[in-house]
Amino acid sequence: QVQLVESGGGSVQAGGSLRLSCAASGSIFSISVMGWYRQAAGEQRESVASITPGGMTNYADSVKGRFTISRDNAKNSMYLQMSSLKPEDTAVYYCNALLRERQWGPSRYYWGQGTQVTVSS
């Protein structure tokens, strides 16, 4: 059974930094694109950043220049370095991965349970 576990959330003042981590475990043959999403209270879930196995990245306009996504393929892990945090970054942050459990099996999206990030002004 595949699990994605996020860590590193917390409370920080505006202008501060946090580093989120996501570790995938279980029966994993390969992981394709990984990404971070967030959902603020009363809002829809939105994409924050994504990264391919080769390191190509994509960011939401709202976080460009402030957030940096990275991954360690050997550890099936992904990270999000968040700097210059703003109150509007407050949300539950979710890890997402497109992965295959078996060599000839289908690829499926998996989600972590989420980690809360709260930025106070």
Side-chain angles (χ1 to χ4, degrees), residues 84-100:
S84 302
L85 283 161
K86 305 175 181 180
E88 50 264 43
D89 293 319
T90 296
V92 178
Y93 283 70
Y94 296 91
C95 169
N96 175 267
L98 178 63
L99 66 86
R100 186 173 295 173

Side-chain angles (χ1 to χ4, degrees), residues 48-118:
V48 174
S50 62
I51 185 167
T52 67
M56 291 185 62
T57 60
N58 189 55
Y59 295 93
D61 288 343
S62 59
V63 307
K64 281 181 181 176
R66 300 188 298 121
F67 290 9
T68 301
I69 189 171
S70 61
R71 65 189 282 174
D72 185 332
N73 293 327
K75 295 182 179 180
N76 289 337
S77 295
M78 175 180 63
Y79 311 95
L80 186 67
Q81 179 66 47
M82 305 185 293
S83 302
S84 302
L85 283 161
K86 305 175 181 180
E88 50 264 43
D89 293 319
T90 296
V92 178
Y93 283 70
Y94 296 91
C95 169
N96 175 267
L98 178 63
L99 66 86
R100 186 173 295 173
E101 294 186 50
R102 300 178 302 279
Q103 182 175 5
W104 306 115
S107 292
R108 286 182 54 200
Y109 284 101
Y110 290 83
W111 291 92
Q113 81 288 352
T115 186
Q116 177 70 45
V117 171
T118 302

